[in-house]
Amino acid sequence: MRIGDLATASKLTTKTIRFYEQAGLLPAPPRTPGGYRDYPQQTPARLAFIRDAQGAGLTLAEIRSVLALRDGGQAPCEHVTTLIDQRLADIERRLAELATTREALRGLTRRAARPDPAACTEDAICTILTTSTDRPRGESASR
């Protein structure tokens, strides 16, 4: 199967297919006598797997490791399960960080709704973003 046909079958661009080949996700295909790439018939399924794995958040390096196991004759299920568990833990951590950031931004929004331009001295820069612990002693937030 030539690269143009593979691109059509996989709904990817020829550039993406060449990139995957260069990145080690696709083995280099044999060449026709005319020098064209001649991809095996199972290549669209491999490309679909790569697309699905990316959709699940796996990196190209992680996908390469799964494919290496499969190409070596091993079922990669245990490895994939570990990768998915790690990815899920990363997302849970990020969600917790985002929730903390959201609460901080909500607090800043409340503070920004009632700004006191008189409190914005040159030293304070911006009282919306300056926490009360950043203020010099003796100054209050209500100034």
Side-chain angles (χ1 to χ4, degrees):
M1 176 182 314
R2 289 199 180 160
I3 195 166
D5 296 330
L6 179 59
T8 300
S10 62
K11 298 182 177 127
L12 295 170
T13 65
T14 57
K15 185 176 180 178
T16 299
I17 295 169
R18 285 188 196 102
F19 172 77
Y20 287 161
E21 188 179 326
Q22 207 171 34
L25 299 171
L26 284 179
R31 301 279 182 153
T32 66
Y36 294 103
R37 289 172 169 86
D38 189 20
Y39 291 94
Q41 293 302 315
Q42 67 270 22
T43 306
R46 188 176 182 108
L47 290 171
F49 169 79
I50 293 167
R51 188 175 50 244
D52 292 344
Q54 284 182 306
L58 271 61
T59 66
L60 294 182
E62 291 167 336
I63 296 167
R64 192 178 310 108
S65 71
V66 172
L67 291 169
L69 286 172
R70 174 49 74 199
D71 292 345
Q74 292 181 288
C77 300
E78 189 175 321
H79 181 59
V80 168
T81 300
T82 300
L83 292 174
I84 290 170
D85 289 344
Q86 289 171 348
R87 181 74 177 134
L88 185 58
D90 289 344
I91 288 181
E92 294 293 341
R93 220 176 356 267
R94 286 180 61 204
L95 285 171
E97 290 169 1
L98 286 170
T100 300
T101 301
R102 179 183 58 211
E103 290 309 310
L105 289 172
R106 284 181 175 160
L108 290 172
T109 299
R110 287 188 296 273
R111 190 184 301 179
R114 46 182 162 67
D116 181 5
C120 288
T121 65
E122 259 186 61
D123 292 340
I125 301 174
C126 177
T127 58
I128 295 170
L129 294 173
T130 305
T131 62
S132 59
T133 58
D134 294 339
R135 290 187 181 88
R137 284 189 183 177
E139 287 189 33
S140 69
S142 60
R143 263 187 15 117

